[in-house]
Amino acid sequence: MRKIFLASIAALLLLASCGKDPEKSRIYLDKGIDYLYRSQIDESIECFDKALKYDEDNYEAYYYRGCAFSNNFKHDLAFRDWNKAIEIKEDYADPYFNIGLMYRRRNDYAMACYYFKLAEKYGRPNMEDYLRHCDNYE
C-alpha cells in the first residue's frame, strides 16, 4: 500500500514539473538575453530553448533566439523564429525590423521597406532613416 502511495506522489510531482511555466520561461529568457549580450551565442540559444520548453508561446524567446541564430549566420533559423514570434504576437515590432534588415542585406529593398513599414506601424521608434528611400520601392 505504501509503495502505491509513493508511486502516486511521484507521478503527481512528475506531472506538475511538465507543462507551461511562464515564470521559469522568463528566468531562462533573461539568462539567454544576458548570454546574447555577452556574445555567448551557444549558451544563449540553450537558454532560449529552455524558455520555450516552459512556454511555447513566449514570443520574446523566439525573437531573441532568432537574433542569436542571426549572429551565428543561421539566417534561415533566424527568419523562422522571427516569423514565429510574429505569429504569436502580430504587433511585436522588433521581428519585423530584423527581417527588414535581413532583406536589406540581401539587396531586396522592396521587401526590406515592407517590413520596415510594419515595424514602424507597430511602434518601432526611429525608423526615419530606414524608410527614407522606401518611396522608390513601392
Side-chain angles (χ1 to χ4, degrees):
M1 182 73 157
R2 182 180 171 156
K3 288 182 182 181
I4 294 173
F5 176 74
L6 290 175
S8 299
I9 296 292
L12 287 173
L13 288 174
L14 182 63
L15 287 173
S17 68
C18 298
K20 200 167 189 171
D21 189 340
E23 288 180 29
K24 279 187 181 178
S25 182
R26 185 75 215 185
I27 289 168
Y28 283 111
L29 173 68
D30 291 341
K31 188 184 276 192
I33 292 170
D34 259 4
Y35 281 128
L36 185 60
Y37 285 135
R38 289 185 281 158
S39 296
Q40 293 176 282
I41 304 303
D42 293 334
E43 293 85 350
S44 71
I45 291 171
E46 285 179 30
C47 286
F48 299 135
D49 288 345
K50 288 179 183 176
L52 292 166
K53 174 184 165 191
Y54 288 108
D55 183 0
E56 68 276 357
D57 293 327
N58 186 335
Y59 62 91
E60 289 178 295
Y62 283 108
Y63 168 71
Y64 283 106
R65 190 173 70 176
C67 294
F69 284 139
S70 178
N71 286 340
N72 248 5
F73 302 100
K74 296 178 180 175
H75 301 296
D76 291 341
L77 295 175
F79 272 114
R80 181 199 66 196
D81 276 0
W82 291 332
N83 281 306
K84 182 68 175 177
I86 291 167
E87 180 184 314
I88 295 168
K89 184 166 173 50
E90 184 180 344
D91 63 346
Y92 187 31
D94 292 338
Y96 292 107
F97 178 72
N98 283 22
I99 292 171
L101 289 175
M102 289 288 228
Y103 277 115
R104 189 173 74 175
R105 281 186 211 115
R106 294 177 176 180
N107 296 321
D108 187 342
Y109 297 107
M111 288 301 290
C113 287
Y114 172 77
Y115 281 97
F116 288 154
K117 287 177 181 180
L118 287 170
E120 180 183 51
K121 173 184 173 182
Y122 293 121
R124 173 87 180 183
N126 306 316
M127 292 300 298
E128 299 82 17
D129 286 342
Y130 297 96
L131 296 169
R132 182 176 306 153
H133 301 289
C134 284
D135 292 339
N136 300 332
Y137 298 103
E138 290 184 12

